Amino acid sequence: MESEGKVVVEMVGGRSTVTRCFSKYPLKFIVPNKVGPSSIDAVWIYSLTYGGGIVSGDSISCELTVGDGCTAVLTTQASTKVYKSMGSKCSQQVMETRVGSGAVLAVVPDPVTCFSTARYSQKQVFRVVPDSNLVIVDWITSGRHESGEKWDFDLYKSTNHIFLEDDQPLFLDTVLLERGSITSITERMQDYQVIAMVILMGPKMNHIQSQVQEDVKRIMSEQLRMPSTSLGRQIITKSDHCLMKPSFIASASVFGPKGIGLVVRVAAMTTESVYRFLQHQLACLEPMLGVSPYR
């Protein structure tokens, strides 16, 4: 089923305000009157689909515009479930956003969870100006563990593009997980059950970028230094030697002119550990967004 939606956030009377909100079944947007203290100027938008997930063959497209000086948060109420595919049908979701001068957009959803045999592709395109500010979280779990499914889907593709004016590329990234004829996704992912990417970009994110970089360095130095199962390491015995496998891996690198952006990549053995990481790293957004993401 094809579905579309559009949300526009503009400054009205000195406050960030949703001036247009349209969605077509099965997509729906919920815009609460206020999230967090009234003194904080931020609009929260919850995106959801009727039925609680994306059905085989669904095609969802939406546009989001955040005007100059506005602050908007796009989030979900629960993980995005992608149901089993019927034949070779691929479900897809495309989001086009524009973020104005001095504006802040935080895209902080719960993870995508693909059911067995699911085929899913999503693309997010962000068009920004030099002083736009972005927080993007994009993550996927291995599936329904309670049903014994781990990386049991057929295809997952997630693309994130950030462009400056005149279509000048600032960040181009695609994650592709596809069932192979030789090796399965499960074999390639080994014991890791979650992969995540976090992007922090713009002048208002400078202090957070520095803190996150320091935290990632500290986390990884601890993980790689201490051979203890109680400190987040899994010991694998192979004949006469042991291999240490960290239960949480993270890396951080800058991108763009003058290091305007930071991308953090995570692989973890539990969804809970990624939630905790996101809670901690994004907590200092609370004064900007009204509420700390993933609290």
Side-chain angles (χ1 to χ4, degrees):
M1 178 177 290
E2 289 194 10
S3 178
E4 59 187 69
K6 183 170 186 173
V7 179
V8 177
V9 180
E10 295 175 289
M11 198 63 76
V12 178
R15 306 283 295 180
S16 300
T17 307
V18 174
T19 56
R20 185 169 184 207
C21 184
F22 158 81
S23 59
K24 182 181 171 185
Y25 182 90
L27 178 66
K28 182 176 174 64
F29 295 116
I30 296 175
V31 183
N33 284 336
K34 195 64 195 167
V35 175
S38 57
S39 58
I40 306 295
D41 178 34
V43 167
W44 282 65
I45 303 154
Y46 289 84
S47 171
L48 58 112
T49 52
Y50 288 100
I54 296 172
V55 177
S56 176
D58 274 358
S59 179
I60 297 170
S61 63
C62 63
E63 294 177 34
L64 172 60
T65 301
V66 184
D68 294 353
C70 294
T71 298
V73 181
L74 181 64
T75 188
T76 53
Q77 291 183 312
S79 65
T80 298
K81 298 170 184 65
V82 182
Y83 296 117
K84 295 185 177 190
S85 69
M86 308 296 288
S88 59
K89 281 185 181 177
C90 185
S91 308
Q92 61 181 15
Q93 192 159 227
V94 177
M95 181 171 73
E96 289 260 358
T97 71
R98 291 185 179 276
V99 185
S101 174
V104 177
L105 171 61
V107 181
V108 286
D110 294 290
V112 171
T113 297
C114 291
F115 286 24
S116 171
T117 75
R119 298 176 63 83
Y120 177 65
S121 171
Q122 68 175 28
K123 183 175 184 179
Q124 300 184 138
V125 179
F126 302 87
R127 300 190 183 278
V128 300
V129 294
D131 65 340
S132 300
N133 302 276
L134 276 178
V135 179
I136 303 166
V137 178
D138 187 16
W139 56 318
I140 179 175
T141 71
S142 59
R144 297 182 297 171
H145 294 188
E146 68 280 5
S147 302
E149 296 178 5
K150 290 186 179 180
W151 305 115
D152 203 24
F153 51 85
D154 286 355
L155 173 75
Y156 170 83
K157 182 179 181 181
S158 180
T159 298
N160 287 282
H161 288 174
I162 304 173
F163 294 101
L164 283 164
E165 302 124 308
D166 303 323
D167 282 341
Q168 181 186 341
L170 187 60
F171 181 85
L172 306 174
D173 184 86
T174 296
V175 172
L176 175 64
L177 296 173
E178 187 170 15
R179 189 190 297 272
S181 55
I182 300 170
T183 57
S184 65
I185 301 171
T186 309
E187 288 174 294
R188 298 197 296 272
M189 296 303 295
Q190 299 181 35
D191 294 298
Y192 294 100
Q193 306 301 330
V194 185
I195 54 172
M197 181 176 74
V198 182
I199 296 171
L200 298 163
M201 196 200 86
K204 292 182 180 178
M205 300 298 154
N206 283 346
H207 64 295
I208 304 173
Q209 291 171 344
S210 303
Q211 186 60 56
V212 170
Q213 281 181 290
E214 288 304 311
D215 283 351
V216 167
K217 280 182 193 172
R218 178 184 52 76
I219 289 166
M220 289 316 298
S221 65
E222 288 174 2
Q223 287 268 26
L224 298 171
R225 190 171 62 237
M226 300 180 182
S228 163
T229 51
S230 65
L231 290 167
R233 303 180 70 81
Q234 187 183 67
I235 300 175
I236 305 161
T237 305
K238 283 193 175 179
S239 61
D240 296 323
H241 66 281
C242 288
L243 300 175
M244 296 297 181
K245 186 183 288 186
S247 62
F248 188 98
I249 301 173
S251 70
S253 53
V254 297
F255 66 86
K258 299 179 183 176
I260 191 175
L262 179 74
V263 57
V264 179
R265 299 183 190 276
V266 170
M269 292 186 184
T270 67
T271 307
E272 292 72 26
S273 66
V274 182
Y275 268 117
R276 284 197 304 271
F277 176 79
L278 293 171
Q279 271 177 343
H280 180 70
Q281 301 304 328
L282 303 181
C284 47
L285 291 172
E286 184 172 346
M288 201 182 300
L289 305 180
V291 173
S292 177
Y294 304 108
R295 68 193 171 108

